[in-house]
């Protein structure tokens, strides 16, 4: 599809591949006249600017030239960053321009040597040594120019005989010292290292007149030759290894072929143009008889004498025709713009009714224009990769016909540790997992595995009898003057365990025996008088003598005689004792009284809820010592919640220890997975949870963690271990994963 156009008859040259933006050099074509019959010449540079609508190109620079051009090339060399433009002109003249200076508006002419005989129609830059330029003209003259020193050009060897005009030159695309030269009856290939021709190609079986030669972009020994003979307009593919006859002939043009160009980015695309006004695209590598034509561009009204691929954007092709137009076509589509030129009519007044050119009917045997049948190579993926289930990687490459499937393991340590953990869980060796861990939470996990887990945890907290150094206080009486009161302590212990007052009466013999055992002490005491006056002690005595123990206890409490009140309450009944204890703890609000109250009443909620968080370890030790199996989990979890809620990040490890002691890991799991866990941290958490739970994963929090872990293992291709950790969740994604693991 045509995307840009110039209303001029020019020779064209694309800017080098590194040039941004893409530009097009246009030199006035030799031996052609425009509508004004002007004989002037110019070298112009255009920005094709495909983003702008319309067919016009933006003129960047224009300079006058003494001569018109037979051939124009733009090489990536020379002073400045835009390379050198070289034009082959009449009378053996070459004109070399600094492209950067031309774009800046200067004349830019570097030199204009006149060493050739006749018109210089063949010019080409070496793609490897960009300072080397080959030129050809009449009398079989071929020169090799070093742009660093243009005074003394070299020759590739002795002139080829018979002497003819050199119509085309082309450097090999794979071997830098090989040059092909085309004459009307033969093609001579030169080896510049030997300074001699290495082979001559000619077709003695058909009548051809060679016009252009083009090397295969990838295969160093293959080239195409095009014939401008109208009776035999063919394009032949030759291989220098089998040079007796062409290996393929492409037939599609109805008149002589004037230009061909092989796409450097896709060896399966060759473009040609000729005297039949057609622009055809071929697949030279096809085995189809007569050549496979893959595309045809719209035809012009006159011959197309030049065609070139854009080095940077291979979807663009530039052509020049003798109808005064130079066009840029897009092989992959674009918005076609219609534009009509009336310059010829404007030069001849009164010819307006003939402004539109007549439509040239193509020959009846001409094939219909076709669109590109397959995507060019530069639009295809040279390689590709796609991940599949279980870490499978499927790859392909254009260099190979095979599709590879490989296993990608991005976390080898995860797979190894998961398998090891599975083995330890199966064998019951849970303590082995804890030995290598440095996290203090793991020490409490290990303690939870001990037979007496409470004692083990208290040991870690530092609250056992040995650690608190209580041995030195054991066996020392409070007051040595009282003598041995062990028996009395035992009697009161029995009284404290009495369920009712009747029990105390049934055990009255304890007092009798106690009385007899202490008779020696009583005999040494001085006589005392029992008073029943109005003073406080007298009122208490009256209540005792009346047998009203409950009143006596209340009176003792009122007089702050708490010791007397508690002793009396021991025999007044459990209700009186409980009430008395309550009043005692109400009057005494020290930290010790709170602890005593919890020990006596077995109510640890106040300790958990109100203790200072700096005493969390003491509170946990007390719970582990006194709380029942039923109370322990909830109390430890509440203490952990407080630490987590009120203590901030500094208390996070302490709260986790409480959760481990409670055997409730839901909060611990939620806290850790709330952050972006690394793979190693996830593995650590799974190990901690499984060991602490002894493999029991029935609760939702743990199940969610293990399902996530199983997904990660499945992505590493460890299907068996993933299945072992996957829970029985009924969620849709988990059921789908389970089914895929079974199938895989």
């Amino acid at each position: 599809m045509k995307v840009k156009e110039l209303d001029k008859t020019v020779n064209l040259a694309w800017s080098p591949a590194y040039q941004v933006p893409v530009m097009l050099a246009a030199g006035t074509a030799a031996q052609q006249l425009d509508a004004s019959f002007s004989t002037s010449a110019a070298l112009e540079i255009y920005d094709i600017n495909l983003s702008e609508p319309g067919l016009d190109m933006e003129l960047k620079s224009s300079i006058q030239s003494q001569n018109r051009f037979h051939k124009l090339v733009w090489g990536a060399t020379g002073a400045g960053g835009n390379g050198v433009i070289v034009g082959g002109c009449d009378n053996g003249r070459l004109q070399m321009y600094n492209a950067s200076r031309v774009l800046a508006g200067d004349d830019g002419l570097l030199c204009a040597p006149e060493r050739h005989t006749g018109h210089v129609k063949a010019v080409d830059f070496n793609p490897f040594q960009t300072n080397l330029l080959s030129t050809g003209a009449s009398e079989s003259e071929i020169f090799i120019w070093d742009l660093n020193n243009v005074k003394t050009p070299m020759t590739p060897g002795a002139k080829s005989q018979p002497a003819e005009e050199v119509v085309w030159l082309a450097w090999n695309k794979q071997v830098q010292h090989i040059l092909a030269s085309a004459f009307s009856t033969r093609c001579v290939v030169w080896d510049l290292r030997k300074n001699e021709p290495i082979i001559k190609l000619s077709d003695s079986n058909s009548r051809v007149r060679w016009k252009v030669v083009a090397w295969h972009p990838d295969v160093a020994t293959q080239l195409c030759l095009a014939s401008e003979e109208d009776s035999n307009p063919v394009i032949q593919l030759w291989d220098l290894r089998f040079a007796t006859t062409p290996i393929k002939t492409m037939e599609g043009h109805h008149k002589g072929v004037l230009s061909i160009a092989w796409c450097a980015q896709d060896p399966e695309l060759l473009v040609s143009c000729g005297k039949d006004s057609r622009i055809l695209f071929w697949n030279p590598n096809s085995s189809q008889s007569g050549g496979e034509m893959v595309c045809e561009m719209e035809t012009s009204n006159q011959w197309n004498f030049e065609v070139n691929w854009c080095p940077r954007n291979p979807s663009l092709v530039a052509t020049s025709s003798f109808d005064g137009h130079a066009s840029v076509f897009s092989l992959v589509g674009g918005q076609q713009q219609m534009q009509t030129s009336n310059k010829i009519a404007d030069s001849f007044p009164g010819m307006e009714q003939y402004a539109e050119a007549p439509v040239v009917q193509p020959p009846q045997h001409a094939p219909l224009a076709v669109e590109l049948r397959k995507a060019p190579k530069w639009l295809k993926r040279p390689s590709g990769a796609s991940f599949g289930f279980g870490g499978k990687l499927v790859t392909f490459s254009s260099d190979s016909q095979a599709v590879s499937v490989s296993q990608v393991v991005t976390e080898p340590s995860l797979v190894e540790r998961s398998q090891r953990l599975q083995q330890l869980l199966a064998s019951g060796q849970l303590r082995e997992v804890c030995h290598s861990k440095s996290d203090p939470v793991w020490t409490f996990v290990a303690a939870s595995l001990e037979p007496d887990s409470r004692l083990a945890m208290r040991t870690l907290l530092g609250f056992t009898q040995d650690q608190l150094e209580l041995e030195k206080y054991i066996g020392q009486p409070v007051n040595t003057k009282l003598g041995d009161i062990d028996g009395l302590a035992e009697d009161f212990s029995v009284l404290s365990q009495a369920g009712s007052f009747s029990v105390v009466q049934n055990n009255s013999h304890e007092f009798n025996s106690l009385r007899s055992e202490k008779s020696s002490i009583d005999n040494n005491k001085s006589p005392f008088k029992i008073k029943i006056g109005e003073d406080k002690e007298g009122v208490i005595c009256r209540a005792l003598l009346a047998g009203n123990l409950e009143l006596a206890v209340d009176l003792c409490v009122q007089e702050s005689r708490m010791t007397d009140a508690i002793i009396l309450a021991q025999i007044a009944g459990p209700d009186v004792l409980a009430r008395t204890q309550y009043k005692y703890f109400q009057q005494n609000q020290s930290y010790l009284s709170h602890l005593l109250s919890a020990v006596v009443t077995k109510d640890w909620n106040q300790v958990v809820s109100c203790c200072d968080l700096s005493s969390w370890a003491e509170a946990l030790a007390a719970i582990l010592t006194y709380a029942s199996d039923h109370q322990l989990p909830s109390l430890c979890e509440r203490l952990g919640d407080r630490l987590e809620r009120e203590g901030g990040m500094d208390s996070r490890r302490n709260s986790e220890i409480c959760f481990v002691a409670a055997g409730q890991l839901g909060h611990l799991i939620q806290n850790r997975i709330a952050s972006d866990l690394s793979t190693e941290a996830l593995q650590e958490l799974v190990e901690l949870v499984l060991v602490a739970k002894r493999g029991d994963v029935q609760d939702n929090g743990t199940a969610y963690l293990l399902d996530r872990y199983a997904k990660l293992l499945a992505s590493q291709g460890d299907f068996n271990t993933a299945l072992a950790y996957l829970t029985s969740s009924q969620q849709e994604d988990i059921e789908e994963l389970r089914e895929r693991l079974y199938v895989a």
Side-chain angles (χ1 to χ4, degrees), residues 464-489:
T464 61
Q465 184 167 291
D466 294 338
Q467 292 169 322
L468 294 175
E469 300 180 351
L470 296 179
E471 294 86 351
K472 60 185 178 181
Y473 301 107
I474 299 175
Q476 296 184 7
V478 177
N479 190 341
T480 56
K481 295 180 180 180
L482 295 178
D484 186 9
I485 59 173
D486 290 342
L488 182 62

Coordinates of all heavy atoms in Angstrom, one line a residue, residues 464-489:
T464 N 10.9 -21.8 87.5 CA 10.8 -23.1 88.3 C 11.4 -22.8 89.7 O 12.0 -21.7 89.9 CB 11.6 -24.2 87.6 OG1 13.0 -23.8 87.5 CG2 11.1 -24.5 86.2
Q465 N 11.2 -23.7 90.6 CA 11.6 -23.5 92.0 C 13.1 -23.4 92.1 O 13.6 -22.5 92.8 CB 11.1 -24.7 92.8 CG 11.5 -24.6 94.3 CD 10.7 -25.6 95.1 OE1 9.5 -25.5 95.2 NE2 11.4 -26.6 95.7
D466 N 13.8 -24.2 91.3 CA 15.3 -24.1 91.3 C 15.8 -22.7 90.7 O 16.7 -22.1 91.3 CB 15.9 -25.2 90.5 CG 15.6 -26.6 91.1 OD1 15.4 -26.6 92.3 OD2 15.7 -27.6 90.4
Q467 N 15.1 -22.3 89.6 CA 15.6 -21.0 89.0 C 15.3 -19.8 89.9 O 16.0 -18.8 89.9 CB 14.9 -20.9 87.7 CG 15.4 -21.9 86.6 CD 14.5 -21.9 85.4 OE1 13.3 -21.7 85.5 NE2 15.1 -22.0 84.2
L468 N 14.2 -19.9 90.7 CA 13.8 -18.8 91.6 C 14.6 -18.9 93.0 O 14.3 -18.0 93.8 CB 12.3 -18.8 91.9 CG 11.5 -18.5 90.6 CD1 10.0 -18.7 90.9 CD2 11.7 -17.1 90.1
E469 N 15.4 -19.9 93.2 CA 16.3 -20.1 94.4 C 15.4 -20.1 95.7 O 15.7 -19.4 96.6 CB 17.3 -19.0 94.4 CG 18.2 -19.0 93.2 CD 19.3 -17.9 93.3 OE1 19.2 -17.0 94.2 OE2 20.2 -17.9 92.5
L470 N 14.4 -21.0 95.7 CA 13.5 -21.0 96.8 C 14.0 -22.0 97.9 O 13.4 -22.1 99.0 CB 12.1 -21.4 96.4 CG 11.4 -20.4 95.5 CD1 10.0 -20.9 95.1 CD2 11.2 -19.0 96.2
E471 N 15.0 -22.8 97.6 CA 15.4 -23.8 98.5 C 15.9 -23.3 99.8 O 15.7 -23.8 100.9 CB 16.6 -24.6 97.9 CG 16.2 -25.5 96.6 CD 16.3 -24.6 95.4 OE1 16.5 -23.4 95.5 OE2 16.2 -25.2 94.3
K472 N 16.5 -22.1 99.8 CA 17.0 -21.5 101.0 C 15.9 -21.0 102.0 O 16.2 -20.7 103.2 CB 18.0 -20.4 100.7 CG 17.3 -19.2 99.9 CD 18.4 -18.2 99.5 CE 17.8 -17.1 98.7 NZ 18.8 -16.1 98.3
Y473 N 14.7 -20.9 101.4 CA 13.6 -20.5 102.3 C 12.8 -21.6 102.8 O 11.9 -21.5 103.7 CB 12.7 -19.5 101.6 CG 13.4 -18.3 101.0 CD1 13.6 -18.1 99.7 CD2 13.8 -17.3 101.9 CE1 14.3 -17.0 99.2 CE2 14.4 -16.1 101.5 CZ 14.7 -16.0 100.1 OH 15.3 -14.9 99.6
I474 N 13.0 -22.8 102.3 CA 12.2 -24.0 102.7 C 12.7 -24.5 104.0 O 13.9 -24.7 104.2 CB 12.2 -25.1 101.6 CG1 11.6 -24.5 100.3 CG2 11.5 -26.3 102.1 CD1 11.7 -25.5 99.2
G475 N 11.8 -24.8 105.0 CA 12.1 -25.4 106.3 C 12.5 -24.4 107.4 O 12.7 -24.8 108.6
Q476 N 12.5 -23.1 107.1 CA 12.7 -22.1 108.1 C 11.4 -21.6 108.7 O 10.6 -21.0 108.0 CB 13.5 -20.9 107.5 CG 14.9 -21.3 107.1 CD 15.7 -20.1 106.6 OE1 15.2 -19.0 106.7 NE2 16.9 -20.3 106.0
P477 N 11.1 -21.7 110.1 CA 9.9 -21.3 110.7 C 9.8 -19.7 110.7 O 10.9 -19.1 110.8 CB 9.9 -21.8 112.1 CG 11.4 -22.0 112.4 CD 12.0 -22.4 111.1
V478 N 8.6 -19.2 110.7 CA 8.5 -17.8 110.7 C 8.8 -17.2 112.1 O 9.5 -16.2 112.2 CB 7.0 -17.4 110.4 CG1 6.8 -15.9 110.4 CG2 6.7 -18.0 109.0
N479 N 8.5 -17.9 113.2 CA 8.8 -17.4 114.5 C 9.2 -18.6 115.3 O 8.4 -19.5 115.7 CB 7.5 -16.8 115.2 CG 7.9 -16.1 116.5 OD1 8.9 -16.3 117.1 ND2 7.0 -15.2 116.9
T480 N 10.5 -18.7 115.7 CA 11.0 -19.9 116.4 C 10.5 -20.0 117.8 O 10.6 -21.1 118.4 CB 12.6 -19.8 116.4 OG1 12.9 -18.5 117.1 CG2 13.2 -19.8 115.0
K481 N 9.9 -18.9 118.4 CA 9.4 -19.0 119.7 C 8.1 -19.8 119.8 O 7.7 -20.3 120.9 CB 9.1 -17.6 120.3 CG 10.4 -16.8 120.5 CD 10.1 -15.4 121.0 CE 11.4 -14.6 121.2 NZ 11.1 -13.3 121.8
L482 N 7.5 -20.0 118.7 CA 6.2 -20.8 118.7 C 6.4 -22.3 118.7 O 5.5 -23.0 118.8 CB 5.3 -20.4 117.5 CG 4.9 -18.9 117.4 CD1 4.1 -18.7 116.2 CD2 4.0 -18.6 118.7
G483 N 7.6 -22.7 118.5 CA 7.9 -24.1 118.5 C 7.4 -24.8 117.2 O 7.3 -24.2 116.2
D484 N 7.2 -26.1 117.4 CA 6.8 -26.8 116.2 C 5.3 -26.7 116.0 O 4.5 -27.1 116.8 CB 7.1 -28.3 116.5 CG 6.9 -29.2 115.3 OD1 6.6 -28.6 114.2 OD2 7.0 -30.4 115.4
I485 N 4.9 -26.1 114.9 CA 3.5 -25.9 114.6 C 3.1 -26.6 113.3 O 2.1 -26.3 112.7 CB 3.1 -24.4 114.5 CG1 4.0 -23.8 113.4 CG2 3.4 -23.7 115.8 CD1 3.6 -22.3 113.1
D486 N 3.9 -27.6 112.9 CA 3.6 -28.4 111.7 C 2.2 -29.1 111.8 O 1.4 -29.1 110.9 CB 4.6 -29.4 111.4 CG 5.9 -28.8 111.0 OD1 5.9 -27.6 110.6 OD2 7.0 -29.5 111.0
G487 N 1.9 -29.6 113.0 CA 0.6 -30.3 113.1 C -0.5 -29.3 113.1 O -1.6 -29.7 112.5
L488 N -0.3 -28.1 113.6 CA -1.4 -27.1 113.5 C -1.7 -26.8 112.1 O -2.8 -26.6 111.6 CB -1.0 -25.9 114.3 CG -2.1 -24.8 114.4 CD1 -3.3 -25.3 115.1 CD2 -1.5 -23.6 115.2
A489 N -0.6 -26.6 111.3 CA -0.8 -26.3 109.9 C -1.5 -27.3 109.1 O -2.4 -27.1 108.3 CB 0.6 -26.0 109.3

